Amino acid sequence: MLGRTVLSRGITAHRLSKNVTFYMNELASPVSDCQAQASEDRKPLMLMLPWLGSRPQAVAKYCEIYFRTGFDVLVVESEVQEFLWPRWGLDHGKRLLELLQSERFVSRPLLVHAFSIGGYTFCQLLVHISQDTQKYQALTQRIKGQVYDSLVVGSLETMAVGLGKTVFPRCEKMVKQVSLLYFGMFRRQTVDYFNISIDAFWNTPVTTPALFFFCENDPLSDPRAMEELIDHLRKRGMDITAKKWEDSTHAGHLKRHQQEYLSILDRFLQSLHITPLKAKI
């Protein structure tokens, strides 16, 4: 749940399940009651996929950006077991797809903002979509834009480092070694699934404009691998905006480079022509 400072300004929270919370933005609601239902059906929905172990007050800062712009926000948190045992992650992705196609959300334009392991969660959706593109065609057409902040990209060792830094930072080196051992022992249940997810992202059926934030000194994200991914997506014809900092913090670019981050994000959102309010973020 987000802090009271956010919820006190026209935002109502609806806990849909253990890790899914829907924040309804009454600030962007229509004045006339007769327009209410039609307006709600068309109001864009931000699907926010936070980083592992994110604190509510940190997520709230990003939600506030979209509240001010007029979005409702659906926050879907990830759990480490969904990463360590990817079949559970796929189940999580399937439930999220079903939610996005439920009566409450089925008519609404979507924007995705994924941080770190949240990108992995979105990959699980892409795996299902890739396996039945016709079934999910209407959903993919509703996704109008994608924002990726500090994607965990690179080798298996990069993933292991990520687990150590985010789950048990006091035992970082040990967690890294145990994770690599675990991935080796259960390769068919882990690494093979990771490769399927990576392939789904590189050949994503969601080809709408995308914005990538990353940096040179992120131990959880190989900048060369990021640049290779971005180049590949551009060659596929996708409209890609990328911002790389020489020095920044994993999933902390907004804090380190606030003005630049907000300016780039604002231009990106304006270019999508889906924001219900004209006010800049």
Side-chain angles (χ1 to χ4, degrees):
M1 299 293 287
L2 302 188
R4 292 180 181 178
T5 54
V6 173
L7 297 182
S8 65
R9 288 178 284 165
I11 309 300
T12 56
H14 303 267
R15 194 68 174 264
L16 304 185
S17 65
K18 177 186 175 184
N19 293 323
V20 180
T21 307
F22 174 48
Y23 295 95
M24 186 177 293
N25 186 359
E26 297 173 353
L27 297 174
S29 297
V31 176
S32 171
D33 290 341
C34 64
Q35 296 175 333
Q37 188 59 53
S39 179
E40 285 300 315
D41 289 344
R42 294 191 301 269
K43 188 197 292 186
L45 177 68
M46 159 55 59
L47 173 61
M48 186 169 293
L49 305 170
W51 59 100
L52 194 63
S54 58
R55 295 183 177 183
Q57 58 268 35
V59 177
K61 293 179 181 178
Y62 294 93
C63 289
E64 184 66 23
I65 294 170
Y66 293 103
F67 293 153
R68 292 197 300 267
T69 316
F71 284 83
D72 288 342
V73 178
L74 185 69
V75 176
V76 180
E77 298 173 85
S78 304
E79 295 189 0
V80 68
Q81 58 263 33
E82 294 161 359
F83 177 75
L84 290 175
W85 200 254
R87 291 191 65 176
W88 292 345
L90 285 171
D91 291 341
H92 180 54
K94 187 68 175 291
R95 289 191 297 270
L96 180 52
L97 280 174
E98 291 170 354
L99 176 62
L100 293 173
Q101 295 184 106
S102 65
E103 184 177 356
R104 188 174 211 165
F105 301 121
V106 70
S107 301
R108 304 182 62 169
L110 298 170
L111 185 68
V112 179
H113 195 142
F115 304 82
S116 188
I117 199 173
Y120 168 78
T121 300
F122 190 64
C123 278
Q124 305 313 296
L125 273 69
L126 295 179
V127 170
H128 290 294
I129 293 171
S130 299
Q131 291 172 349
D132 196 339
T133 53
Q134 187 172 0
K135 178 180 178 180
Y136 296 110
Q137 183 177 11
L139 175 65
T140 57
Q141 291 175 344
R142 285 163 49 210
I143 300 175
K144 304 302 181 182
Q146 311 164 71
V147 181
Y148 298 105
D149 186 322
S150 305
L151 282 183
V152 179
V153 176
S155 65
L156 196 62
E157 185 171 352
T158 301
M159 296 183 184
V161 169
L163 282 174
K165 287 185 175 296
T166 56
V167 183
F168 300 108
R170 293 182 180 179
C171 309
E172 181 182 327
K173 291 184 179 180
M174 184 182 72
V175 172
K176 173 188 171 183
Q177 296 303 320
V178 171
S179 298
L180 289 173
L181 179 62
Y182 168 79
F183 292 146
M185 291 176 62
F186 296 96
R187 183 177 182 86
R188 291 183 62 186
Q189 292 83 8
T190 58
V191 179
D192 289 354
Y193 277 88
F194 294 153
N195 289 334
I196 292 172
S197 299
I198 292 168
D199 183 69
F201 198 94
W202 277 67
N203 299 286
T204 177
V206 181
T207 56
T208 50
L211 168 60
F212 290 84
F213 291 112
F214 64 111
C215 65
E216 281 281 353
N217 62 324
D218 189 342
L220 281 66
S221 180
D222 182 346
R224 302 289 85 77
M226 276 296 311
E227 289 168 346
E228 185 179 353
L229 170 63
I230 289 167
D231 184 59
H232 171 78
L233 295 177
R234 282 176 172 153
K235 287 179 179 177
R236 290 190 63 210
M238 289 179 61
D239 181 1
I240 303 294
T241 302
K243 174 56 187 178
K244 179 182 70 172
W245 287 280
E246 292 295 320
D247 181 38
S248 194
T249 304
H250 182 78
H253 303 312
L254 176 61
K255 184 176 181 179
R256 291 283 303 275
H257 307 278
Q258 182 174 354
Q259 189 172 4
E260 194 172 15
Y261 189 103
L262 291 176
S263 177
I264 293 168
L265 181 58
D266 177 53
R267 287 197 299 271
F268 178 74
L269 293 178
Q270 295 294 334
S271 73
L272 300 177
H273 303 294
I274 63 168
T275 54
L277 302 180
K278 293 183 179 180
K280 289 188 176 183
I281 59 177

